[in-house]
Amino acid sequence: MNKVLQNTLIVAITLMLMSSNVIAKTQLQSLQVQMDEMMKKIDALEANNGASSKYTYIKSKVPTLKFSGKHYIGFVNDGNQSNFETRRNYFQVKAYMNKHDYFRTTFDTHHDDTGDWKVRLKYSYLYLDSILPNTGVEIGQVHRPWIDNEEHGGWNYRSISKVFVEDSKGAHLTNSADLGFNLKTKLKYFSSELGVFNGEGYHGDKNANEVSGEWRLTTHLL
């Protein structure tokens, strides 16, 4: 196709020059050089378009977008019936403003009382790492102090069952996210989370007008 375009241009311009009685051998040679350069640029453009067609472009005002997901499926047999179930279904996007500060949005799914699938917002917060020493700040729909720490520090099987403080058969005190802010400090032998939240969690009903102060102070002696 490029050669056809090149020959067509040369013939058209040659005829134009002949009709003006100004054609010369040196002019044709110069024209050939210009056409060759034009064809190289067209070839480069087509090559780039061919390569870029393999990708999907996403416009963003931040330097980096990171997409991820986490999905667990389980099988339950309680003696009376057997069935498959999904225990974690997360879709997550992090928009990094720099290497450490980002905005995070996480969706999860669950079955309602009728067995229908529902999608809900689990996390949606701004994380700032450089405001306080050794402390990250979450603002928005953020982590609450207990479950994330228990999951990563003492109970590595949340894909199988919930941790003690959230399980309806356990303490049943809290869930993992809520609107508010959380200050997360991490040192070699000590970590803490101090926050103020609405109090009902990300999938509970608000039943009070007061916010909830929640905290965790943990030593890591071993």
Side-chain angles (χ1 to χ4, degrees):
M1 179 179 178
N2 290 342
K3 294 300 181 182
V4 173
L5 176 62
Q6 179 181 11
N7 293 334
T8 301
L9 288 173
I10 291 174
V11 170
I13 296 176
T14 300
L15 290 174
M16 179 186 68
L17 292 175
M18 289 178 64
S19 64
S20 301
N21 296 318
V22 293
I23 189 168
K25 183 177 181 180
T26 55
Q27 290 174 314
L28 283 175
Q29 291 174 341
S30 176
L31 179 62
Q32 182 67 48
V33 172
Q34 294 177 22
M35 291 300 101
D36 289 342
E37 291 298 321
M38 182 185 297
M39 290 304 105
K40 289 179 181 178
K41 292 179 180 179
I42 292 174
D43 289 339
L45 283 172
E46 289 186 345
N48 289 335
N49 289 335
S52 63
S53 63
K54 300 177 182 178
Y55 305 96
T56 300
Y57 287 94
I58 298 174
K59 292 184 178 181
S60 173
K61 293 185 178 181
V62 297
T64 304
L65 289 174
K66 181 179 179 180
F67 295 86
S68 62
K70 183 178 290 187
H71 312 281
Y72 295 120
I73 187 170
F75 181 77
V76 178
N77 185 340
D78 60 5
N80 298 318
Q81 61 179 355
S82 301
N83 59 279
F84 290 96
E85 63 178 9
T86 57
R87 293 166 177 161
R88 290 290 179 271
N89 290 282
Y90 298 144
F91 176 74
Q92 177 174 287
V93 181
K94 286 185 176 180
Y96 284 86
M97 296 172 286
N98 52 54
K99 188 175 180 180
H100 302 288
D101 303 327
Y102 58 84
F103 185 86
R104 171 182 174 179
T105 300
T106 303
F107 294 96
D108 78 347
T109 64
H110 73 290
H111 277 118
D112 64 12
D113 294 336
T114 67
D116 192 17
W117 283 105
K118 300 295 183 182
V119 179
R120 57 192 177 191
L121 181 68
K122 183 166 188 178
Y123 298 113
S124 182
Y125 61 80
L126 175 66
Y127 179 81
L128 301 173
D129 188 62
S130 55
I131 295 179
L132 300 172
N134 302 307
T135 300
V137 181
E138 294 180 356
I139 305 170
Q141 186 153 301
V142 303
H143 290 93
R144 296 173 83 172
W146 287 98
I147 293 177
D148 194 57
N149 176 73
E150 187 175 348
E151 177 183 355
H152 292 93
W155 178 249
N156 298 320
Y157 307 100
R158 196 160 180 247
S159 60
I160 300 174
S161 66
K162 296 179 179 179
V163 300
F164 178 76
V165 295
E166 66 174 329
D167 199 329
S168 59
K169 297 179 181 179
H172 200 209
L173 295 175
T174 184
N175 57 49
S176 56
D178 202 351
L179 284 166
F181 70 88
N182 189 2
L183 308 180
K184 306 178 72 171
T185 298
K186 186 174 183 179
L187 300 171
K188 185 176 182 180
Y189 298 111
F190 172 81
S191 68
S192 69
E193 294 183 50
L194 308 173
V196 177
F197 312 91
N198 277 355
E200 70 274 7
Y202 76 104
H203 58 75
D205 295 327
K206 188 170 179 59
N207 52 20
N209 294 322
E210 298 295 330
V211 295
S212 171
E214 302 175 23
W215 60 90
R216 172 187 62 80
L217 307 175
T218 306
T219 59
H220 305 279
L221 299 179
L222 301 179

